[in-house]
Amino acid sequence: MQYPYQDTKLTIRQRVTDLLSRMSTQEKIGQVNQNRYGWETFADEKREQLTDGFKQHVAWGGGLGALYGLFRADPWSKVNFENGVAAQDSWRVANRVQKYVIEQSRWGIPTLIVEECPHGHQGLDGISYPTNIGRGNAFNTTLMKQSAQLMAQELALKGVNLALVSTLDLVKDPRWGRSEECFGEDPILAARMSQAVVDGFQGDLIQSNHSFWDQPVNLATEKPIGVVLKHCIAQGEALGGHNSGTVTLGNREYSDIYQPLLQSVQNAAGVMAAYNDVDGVPCHINQDLLTKQLREQVGFQGIVMADGTALDRLSDVFETQPQAAAAALTAGVDLSLWDQTYTKLDQALAQDLVSESLLDRAAGRVLALKFLLGLFERPYLTDPASELAEVLQQADTLNLQVAQESMTLLKNNGVLPLTQTKQKIAVIGPNANDVYHLLGDYTAAQSPTRLTATIYQQIKHTFKKAEVVYAQGCEVRQIEQQTELIDQAIAVAQEADVIVLALGGSSARNFEMRFLKNGAVSSKGINMDSGENVDVADLTLGGQQLTLLKRLSQLKKTIVSVLIQGRPYDLTEVTALSDAVLVGWFPGQQGGQAIANTLSGINNPSGKLSLSYPRNTQQLPVYYYQRDASKQDDYYDQSGSPLYPFGAGMGYSQFDYSDLQVKADVDKLTVTVKVKNNGQYAGQESTLLFVKLTGGLVIQRSKLLKDFQKNGFEPDEQKTVTFILPNEVFKYMDMDQAVKTAQRVTIMIADLKVEVPLSI
């Protein structure tokens, strides 16, 4: 040990203070920059020779704050199994990067290795789970935490320090291409899932009851990893469903909906600021959001990371990049991402646009996180050998459960589950035999073994007595030259007993596409109609899918429609012409098996819609927690209600609710309800508790979810489900902008309701 910052007995704050005092201004600027694309770090496929560009950047900053995407493998990075880093080799590559960075830093400062993990690691051999919109339908925070734990183990063994995970966006307009990254439209569901992600990834790495800055590094923790939640905040509110669009949001709406969600980031290692503005102020320069609310009110201790090239987009507001850099640093952005703006911080300082104390604040937070993760003491990994393979196997098993619990059955006239008899099943549709269509955006290249696990192949494997045949039927969005495909499908289905029709959309990218500097697709493939920067004006199913459905319906066969999608599509005709409708969302690598298990009855579907399902585009918005104003809900020409309400979902069991009871205490309400499985199948039931507030001088909402539980039931089993609602649940912002407690509250579960006064 040479210097105090190397003393593990000192607190993190003491070590950061000492280290900052020794660093030059340029070295501090280096720490707040995450400028490089990680896959461009090496000049050779063996990942042994560093590029000159990488070396020059490290020299420029006297070290390296963070490195994004070292293992990213997808069409944007142009990395696949031929030129990418295999999972079992990741640790060696991470060590090479760390060794070089540490040796080039005067103070031996390691870098943060950062990777995308919105629904699994976007690297070769990574486990790809269902996208969030499906996992939200599961209403299972325990399962979310377990999958996050396995993701963290996988990433830690590969040498990753920070995982970027989407959790904070809400689906308010499903035309938005990134709807698949949201857990749903509800803030409490998103908040609970976000907390589960933080708990699963980090354990007790950061705790709300004390500052990690004032503690020594805990070196007893094995392979700690931090999670960065994104995006902060209200990105799903963008007008017209336009990606990165403008957001019009008042203080009252923000207080009721986004404050509870913001609270969920308290113990995260980081948050990523959102591209959008809120009422004209870009999130990246919103000091009230990033400093006052996030840090002072919520108690957030981690770093704020910019979104990709977002700081360069501040040219909408500022004439020069030094001005933009100064504003973002002042607001509270600690770490950049791919932009040029933060490389101009030296100019901002020279022009007296910002003080070096604010640079110290940002660099100090980045350094504190590196200390917290133990990178100064343990920057290198040892060969994980069989441990990584074991973790990946555990994750694969859990992934199937996650996919099964995300399955949401919206219609069943008695045809499901399909019997295991000698029958002919025709599996048809654009999503029936392509694994990439099941995976969603932010997905890595898949191995040949993974590519065989399609819906068609897994149905064929599961229904061993049946003759299972396949036809594509049509493409996802292509309109031209589809007649022959439809005719082939009709011929295949002619003698079938059952038709399983896999419709929907796709986020599948290909290597011929072009991309923006932030990785969003710019040259959309004709059959990619979901994902980042892929917004739609119309929720009608694309291409000739409805034509295919109508032609098949004329055969008078049993039709089971399976929707593979990252956003709701108009299902009016699908519902009318199908005997059963199963929404599989983007179900991940195990999606094909999960669908087959659900159709066969191995899995009793338990998913419930985490969003209000619109009838069509014209009636948007339909999210359920709108204010209960005295207005005409229906339109002149159609219903104003959603096709399926928030929380809708069937299974192979019938769950009945009774005896809703509410007991008032000084600081809480205790709510109990009896739930019984009256079906012949064992199953799981998500019990959703809503409240409607009464009182004040504002129009209250029709209802708002405040708690939920998922429980398993044997046939004919009854359980009493208990909820504890603290006083915070009943607060709202009144006309005078003051947060108050409601006078009365109506508790609603299923079709039961009880109104109680509040004397709080």
Side-chain angles (χ1 to χ4, degrees), residues 396-573:
D396 233 7
T397 301
L398 186 71
N399 195 8
L400 177 59
Q401 183 183 351
V402 176
Q404 289 181 164
E405 292 200 23
S406 71
M407 297 289 121
T408 305
L409 184 64
L410 295 180
K411 179 180 179 180
N412 183 18
N413 66 6
V415 301
L416 294 181
L418 300 176
T419 57
Q420 289 280 4
T421 58
K422 190 175 182 179
Q423 58 184 323
K424 186 171 184 178
I425 302 174
V427 183
I428 294 170
N431 290 328
N433 200 32
D434 192 324
V435 163
Y436 281 114
H437 288 198
L438 307 182
L439 302 181
D441 207 1
Y442 283 90
T443 294
Q446 300 294 296
S447 69
T449 301
R450 293 286 190 195
L451 293 177
T452 64
T454 67
I455 296 173
Y456 160 60
Q457 292 293 346
Q458 299 302 69
I459 289 176
K460 189 175 182 179
H461 172 77
T462 301
F463 290 88
K464 299 185 184 300
K465 296 181 180 180
E467 178 187 357
V468 181
V469 294
Y470 161 74
Q472 182 181 4
C474 67
E475 298 175 60
V476 172
R477 299 287 292 193
Q478 181 66 266
I479 296 176
E480 300 175 353
Q481 299 179 332
Q482 301 295 290
T483 302
E484 183 177 351
L485 290 175
I486 293 175
D487 290 343
Q488 290 172 357
I490 298 301
V492 166
Q494 198 77 43
E495 304 301 323
D497 299 293
V498 178
I499 299 170
V500 176
L501 184 57
L503 303 172
S506 174
S507 285
R509 304 182 178 199
N510 63 63
F511 281 77
E512 285 70 48
M513 290 177 174
R514 295 188 302 275
F515 302 91
L516 302 175
K517 290 182 178 180
N518 69 340
V521 64
S522 60
S523 62
K524 303 173 185 64
I526 187 63
N527 290 314
M528 178 187 179
D529 65 353
S530 188
E532 185 172 3
N533 212 38
V534 188
D535 312 318
V536 297
D538 189 354
L539 298 180
T540 302
L541 280 172
Q544 299 288 353
Q545 294 187 68
L546 290 178
T547 301
L548 172 64
L549 171 62
K550 292 172 185 177
R551 288 280 305 277
L552 289 171
S553 70
Q554 294 171 3
L555 299 177
K556 305 300 181 183
K557 307 285 185 179
T558 296
I559 295 179
V560 177
S561 291
V562 179
L563 277 299
I564 303 302
Q565 56 188 40
R567 61 157 62 87
Y569 291 96
D570 182 342
L571 294 186
T572 306
E573 289 191 85

Side-chain angles (χ1 to χ4, degrees), residues 5-13 15 202-207 210-225 367-378:
Y5 77 86
Q6 296 171 309
D7 187 351
T8 59
K9 296 178 182 178
L10 297 181
T11 67
I12 290 175
R13 189 182 306 278
R15 297 177 72 181
Q202 296 183 181
D204 60 358
L205 183 69
I206 300 175
Q207 301 177 53
H210 70 265
S211 169
F212 77 78
W213 284 71
D214 297 318
Q215 302 290 324
V217 176
N218 180 9
L219 295 176
T221 304
E222 289 291 329
K223 302 180 182 72
I225 189 169
L367 293 171
L369 186 55
K370 293 180 179 183
F371 280 119
L372 178 67
L373 296 174
L375 288 177
F376 280 83
E377 287 73 40
R378 298 178 302 193

Side-chain angles (χ1 to χ4, degrees), residues 12 26 38 69 105 181 218 224 266 277 295 307 415 433 558 563 570 574 593 604 606 700 726 735 754:
I12 290 175
Q26 190 62 31
S105 167
E181 297 180 44
N218 180 9
Q266 184 180 47
D277 67 86
R295 294 193 183 277
D307 207 339
V415 301
N433 200 32
T558 296
L563 277 299
D570 182 342
V574 175
Q593 188 62 62
N604 185 353
S606 61
Q700 300 286 2
M735 184 175 67
V754 173

Side-chain angles (χ1 to χ4, degrees), residues 53-93:
F54 178 78
K55 292 178 180 179
Q56 290 166 6
H57 185 68
V58 173
W60 168 84
L64 188 65
L67 181 65
Y68 170 100
L70 183 61
F71 306 122
R72 180 164 175 160
D74 70 332
W76 179 36
S77 61
K78 304 300 181 187
V79 175
N80 55 27
F81 279 91
E82 295 179 1
N83 62 353
V85 182
Q88 65 269 21
D89 294 327
S90 299
W91 69 280
R92 293 189 181 91
V93 175

